[in-house]
Amino acid sequence: MTESRPARKQIHLAAHFPGVNSTTVWSDPRSGSQIDFSSFEHLARTAERGLFDFFFLAEGLRLREYGGRIHDLDVVGRPESITVLNALAAVTDRLGLAATVSATFNEPYELARRLASLDHLSGGRAAWNVVTSSDAFTGANFRRGGFLDRADRYTRAAEAVATARELWDSWPAGGERRRFAHAGPHFRIEGEVTVERPPQGHPVVIQAGDSDEGREFAASAADVVFSRHSTPEAGRAFHADVKRRLARYGRRPEDLKIMPGVTYVLGDTEAEARERAALISRQQISPQNALLAAEQVWGRDLSGYDPDGPLPDVDPDPESTLVQGRVRIADPFAVAARWRALSEAKGLSIRETVIEATARHSFVGTPESVAAALEEHVATDAADGFILIPHLTPGGLDDFVDRVVPLLQERGVFRTEYAGTTLRSHLGLPAPVWKGGTP
Amino acid sequence: MTGVRPLHLAAELAPAPPDGGSRTVAGTVALARLAEDAGLDFLTHDDSFARPGLDALAVLARIAPETRSVGLVPTVTTTHTEPFHVQAAVATLDWVSRGRAGWRIAVSPGAAEARLFGRRPAPPTAALWQEAGETAEVSRRLWDSWEDDAEIRDVATGRFVDRRKLHHVDFEGAAFSVKGPSIVPRPPQGNPVVVVDATRPAARETAARHADVALIRASSPEEAAGLRAELHRAARAHGRDPGLLRVLLTLSADLDAHPGGPAALAGLAADWHGGGAVDGLHFVPAVPGRDLPRFAAEVAGALRARGLFRTAYEGTTLRDRLGLPRPASQYAPKGADA
């Protein structure tokens, strides 16, 4: 008999395509196309080589604007997620394929059909990251236009997910029943479902908002939470809060996986990793991006300021409409005061202050120390896994898969082969309960 | 018109799906490869929200990496969809297929389809095609909303894109408005190929105005030539060059039952094309798994043997196949090399 020891909690890993994020570095000579299919194929194949649970695509339905003009400093331009994922299904075998799709500007029947199609075409690997859209700015691209109040956005999203599940249940595999009827506050629809029940029963549902409504929605309806709490303390508090909410919905803690979006920097030594992290921060926050970050806090045109000079000596404009398409900073005075204190205490320029105040790499170190830290996070319930956000396209995941994944496997906290073929099986999620009546 | 243009051949991949499941994915890929080996210009994949089967654009995106040359033309309806989403999905199909995407525009006239969405009753057919035309128009604007060289990656100024080369489209239609620009950079073909089935008179105006390829049905070469001339006249009335509108005869056939079989079909294609009635044939097999292989091997083969059909693909995009130029962005400075 082998020595028995407690089974170690297994880590879930996913890969975020580096796109329209402030973390994405496009100026590096190794940075490739953000739109050519070869970039998506490279990152997805790397993630599958690393036995990741899924590949994740974000969405943005209008190009961001600053001061009434299209923003030109960030990576911009991306494909429509579900279509790229269908193509990636052809060049991968096991990797889950997660599409971010707004529940505000899509209708449940079409969405359920498109996600069911992806699930069929990938052999059970589809996921839907449910997001809501916040503003009339984005609404200007859509028939329904306008926007929904915050509360309505989540009730619509929750009803969209519930309706999609009713639709997925309406045509059982090998069965006959196709008719459905749904009547709720947001959708009153009926008819005949035309796609057979997806291989996973229901594609995996991911939720990504952090508000109280978002957490409740996650507890009631999501399979995975894409959270933003990457420090151990914040992660444990979030984990405990969301898992506690599950019981209200008759769900077990293991029915929902919490996966923060994290970045990482590796080096042969700790010092080298820290040097690299500092260099990457400077790539991420160019002089122009530093001014832009300050403009977002101040709500003022700061183009006359020197990014290598001191912070603005004026107060923020709380009524500013400079920034559109991005969440407003809640209390710009507090942020400005914090930045000013930081700048004065350390003698930092605008750019240095922005780097110091905003540039965060979640895990910095040698492959050994990063593997240990990831395990520690999961072992102490700060997370169930991670959605890695590389800073380079498309090779940004290569070193993690080559150097960290083998160490996680040696530690016995990460799979050495895929056990199943569906995303649900990778995530250890239960089969969805049949709610469509007798098949 | 001068001389006889090259003959174009296309085929429908899924005219009558037996079910709504995925059991035909491998078979669909095999059929697509077979069509590609035979040199076909493009494959269509029909769709509607009331039609059993998978989403057509999804199926063709799944096939894209497994093929290299054949054009991929899903049907996407414009009645209950969001124009902004549709154009982004078609542009993305063009990206993942490296310039082989088309889009067969269709409408959803039925009350049953309207109830699947619950947003509005289906408008009358004429209004549906008016809206489809608006969707085609706004899609072209959105595909053009990024000029080809909008991405500049200028490290010195920190700018990833040149915002002067990104454009709001500010489209105001009868049924919807769109601000723009697209979220998707300009696709490889500039504008994916727009296909309209112009069989029904209600669709003809939209076809003449917006289509790169019009599909027609006709029982004689005279009828086909008449329809083709009508479409050309209407295109010219819209300020278009009719020489850039391909007209293909859609022909549904069971090759086992068809009088004369593949040889007769090849003869018909040769005669009608040679006589200037049509630019080619869009074949709709009665049973794809049975008829499409025969069409590819015997009909395309016979036309090739007579020197009427290509022996190898030239160029890489669907526009190359069809002899259609890659359009410049309507927002790009005209005649300037800037």
Side-chain angles (χ1 to χ4, degrees):
Chain A
M1 294 291 287
T2 52
E3 184 188 351
S4 85
R5 53 175 187 188
R8 296 185 174 194
K9 194 177 160 195
Q10 295 293 298
I11 296 177
H12 295 282
L13 291 175
H16 188 297
F17 185 84
V20 185
N21 305 299
S22 57
T23 52
T24 303
V25 171
W26 55 262
S27 56
D28 192 287
R30 292 167 296 175
S31 173
S33 171
Q34 294 288 140
I35 186 70
D36 194 274
F37 184 63
S38 61
S39 290
F40 297 91
E41 183 172 359
H42 180 103
L43 200 87
R45 283 187 190 270
T46 307
E48 183 160 275
R49 182 161 60 82
L51 306 174
F52 279 36
D53 291 35
F54 61 91
F55 175 92
F56 181 97
L57 284 176
E59 179 188 69
L61 296 172
R62 184 155 173 200
L63 299 191
R64 283 170 22 198
E65 294 182 8
Y66 289 91
R69 295 193 302 173
I70 289 165
H71 179 45
D72 55 4
L73 298 182
D74 271 358
V75 166
V76 62
R78 49 182 149 198
E80 189 275 314
S81 350
I82 295 180
T83 302
V84 169
L85 296 177
N86 275 305
L88 288 174
V91 296
T92 54
D93 290 321
R94 301 290 183 98
L95 187 67
L97 302 165
T100 299
V101 188
S102 167
T104 306
F105 296 115
N106 286 280
E107 300 303 309
Y109 181 83
E110 185 186 10
L111 200 47
R113 184 171 180 271
R114 297 187 71 208
L115 289 161
S117 294
L118 176 62
D119 209 44
H120 280 291
L121 291 165
S122 65
R125 300 189 275 141
W128 171 20
N129 177 41
V130 184
V131 293
T132 60
S133 305
S134 57
D135 50 25
F137 178 75
T138 304
N141 281 334
F142 296 96
R143 287 178 191 267
R144 76 189 316 283
F147 66 101
L148 295 170
D149 287 343
R150 185 179 193 85
D152 286 347
R153 280 196 276 140
Y154 277 102
T155 59
R156 180 179 162 105
E159 193 179 332
V161 171
T163 308
R165 288 187 164 140
E166 288 169 29
L167 295 170
W168 291 328
D169 282 348
S170 293
W171 188 354
E176 294 297 325
R177 200 170 160 281
R178 297 183 187 184
R179 294 209 62 83
F180 74 94
H182 171 95
H186 293 278
F187 311 111
R188 184 174 290 269
I189 60 177
E190 62 173 344
E192 201 164 89
V193 166
T194 51
V195 179
E196 201 171 282
R197 195 164 194 254
Q200 294 187 100
H202 303 165
V204 167
V205 170
I206 304 173
Q207 184 275 344
D210 192 38
S211 63
D212 192 61
E213 296 99 316
R215 292 179 185 208
E216 204 61 29
F217 172 49
S220 69
D223 301 303
V224 174
V225 176
F226 178 10
S227 80
R228 63 175 76 161
H229 303 286
S230 61
T231 66
E233 302 73 28
R236 276 192 288 275
F238 180 80
H239 195 276
D241 177 61
V242 173
K243 299 267 176 167
R244 193 170 47 234
R245 296 172 189 242
L246 286 165
R248 280 182 224 169
Y249 303 97
R251 305 179 70 200
R252 305 167 303 166
E254 59 269 35
D255 293 346
L256 177 65
K257 308 298 183 206
I258 294 176
M259 300 176 68
V262 299
T263 58
Y264 71 94
V265 182
L266 301 178
D268 290 336
T269 64
E270 297 292 334
E272 187 192 306
R274 281 195 300 274
E275 271 173 41
R276 261 192 201 158
L279 182 69
I280 292 167
S281 294
R282 291 184 68 80
Q283 289 180 307
Q284 289 167 331
I285 301 171
S286 65
Q288 296 85 359
N289 271 319
L291 273 187
L292 185 80
E295 285 183 346
Q296 287 178 64
V297 173
W298 265 265
R300 296 179 188 278
D301 174 8
L302 303 179
S303 53
Y305 283 76
D306 177 2
D308 295 320
L311 289 179
D313 49 9
V314 294
D315 280 335
D317 171 8
E319 306 299 321
S320 170
T321 55
L322 187 67
V323 180
Q324 287 189 290
R326 178 179 260 193
V327 178
R328 290 281 302 277
I329 290 168
D331 184 353
F333 290 94
V335 175
R338 199 161 61 239
W339 285 20
R340 199 163 272 142
L342 188 66
S343 168
E344 282 165 13
K346 298 192 178 181
L348 303 179
S349 68
I350 292 178
R351 186 180 180 197
E352 290 163 339
T353 304
V354 172
I355 289 173
E356 183 87 6
T358 66
R360 289 278 174 279
H361 303 286
S362 315
F363 296 94
V364 178
T366 63
E368 291 76 13
S369 69
V370 167
L374 294 172
E375 183 188 356
E376 174 75 9
H377 269 64
V378 170
T380 61
D381 284 341
D384 297 314
F386 307 92
I387 297 179
L388 294 173
I389 307 174
H391 70 278
L392 287 179
T393 312
L397 204 61
D398 298 5
D399 56 352
F400 187 93
V401 165
D402 293 334
R403 301 180 73 187
V404 180
V405 165
L407 298 176
L408 294 173
Q409 290 168 328
E410 278 173 29
R411 287 170 171 266
V413 294
F414 190 65
R415 66 174 65 93
T416 53
E417 57 186 350
Y418 285 113
T421 59
T422 67
L423 176 54
R424 269 182 193 280
S425 69
H426 306 337
L427 289 165
L429 294 170
V433 176
W434 177 265
K435 289 192 180 145
T438 309
Chain B
M1 237 114 327
T2 57
V4 174
R5 289 210 194 85
L7 170 67
H8 301 288
L9 293 179
E12 170 64 37
L13 204 46
D19 60 59
S22 64
R23 66 190 78 154
T24 59
V25 174
T28 308
V29 169
L31 281 181
R33 286 182 171 159
L34 208 133
E36 178 166 279
D37 289 344
L40 265 54
D41 290 70
F42 62 88
L43 291 164
T44 53
H45 191 303
D46 201 10
D47 203 2
S48 87
F49 289 115
R51 174 183 195 273
L54 304 180
D55 177 76
L57 196 138
V59 172
L60 295 186
R62 172 68 179 73
I63 286 172
E66 311 219 40
T67 52
R68 290 170 54 185
S69 303
V70 72
L72 303 169
V73 183
T75 294
V76 184
T77 79
T78 61
T79 304
H80 302 294
T81 44
E82 288 284 357
F84 192 84
H85 290 323
V86 170
Q87 65 81 27
V90 173
T92 301
L93 182 63
D94 206 43
W95 278 107
V96 303
S97 66
R98 300 191 164 93
R100 294 185 284 131
W103 166 24
R104 182 165 53 184
I105 297 179
V107 300
S108 306
E113 282 187 78
R115 283 195 292 270
L116 298 170
F117 289 81
R119 293 214 287 197
R120 57 170 183 173
T125 302
L128 291 178
W129 277 106
Q130 158 78 18
E131 188 181 20
E134 289 186 355
T135 303
E137 167 68 25
V138 79
S139 294
R140 269 196 211 285
R141 287 202 205 174
L142 287 162
W143 294 331
D144 287 345
S145 66
W146 289 59
E147 293 181 38
D148 287 315
D149 50 358
E151 184 181 315
I152 52 170
R153 296 185 180 232
D154 185 28
V155 176
T157 60
R159 294 178 306 149
F160 182 77
V161 287
D162 180 349
R163 64 173 147 225
R164 292 169 305 178
K165 296 184 175 187
L166 294 171
H167 304 273
H168 291 124
V169 303
D170 289 320
F171 183 86
E172 296 279 348
F176 59 86
S177 60
V178 175
K179 181 72 182 172
S182 181
I183 54 167
V184 186
R186 197 157 193 260
Q189 295 186 97
N191 296 169
V193 171
V194 170
V195 179
V196 175
D197 187 333
T199 302
R200 291 174 191 281
R204 235 162 260 166
E205 179 66 14
T206 300
R209 190 160 181 175
H210 298 287
D212 300 298
V213 177
L215 305 176
I216 59 167
R217 284 176 176 78
S219 50
S220 70
E222 293 73 27
E223 187 189 352
L227 275 171
R228 182 164 178 261
E230 178 192 331
L231 286 163
H232 280 178
R233 268 196 307 277
R236 193 179 288 110
H238 287 295
R240 299 184 63 200
D241 174 1
L244 300 182
L245 172 60
R246 304 283 171 264
V247 179
L248 303 191
L249 176 75
T250 291
L251 198 111
S252 308
D254 171 343
L255 284 182
D256 284 346
H258 190 261
L265 197 56
L268 182 148
D271 291 348
W272 289 33
H273 173 256
V278 292
D279 298 301
L281 203 59
H282 171 238
F283 175 68
V284 180
V287 181
R290 184 195 64 201
D291 296 325
L292 191 51
R294 290 195 72 186
F295 180 79
E298 299 173 44
V299 179
L303 290 165
R304 184 175 295 115
R306 294 165 70 165
L308 297 174
F309 188 56
R310 68 171 65 85
T311 53
Y313 283 117
E314 284 174 13
T316 58
T317 69
L318 177 53
R319 286 188 171 274
D320 293 338
R321 296 291 102 76
L322 293 165
L324 298 171
R326 184 180 188 279
S329 164
Q330 60 194 283
Y331 298 101
K334 303 264 187 309
D337 264 1

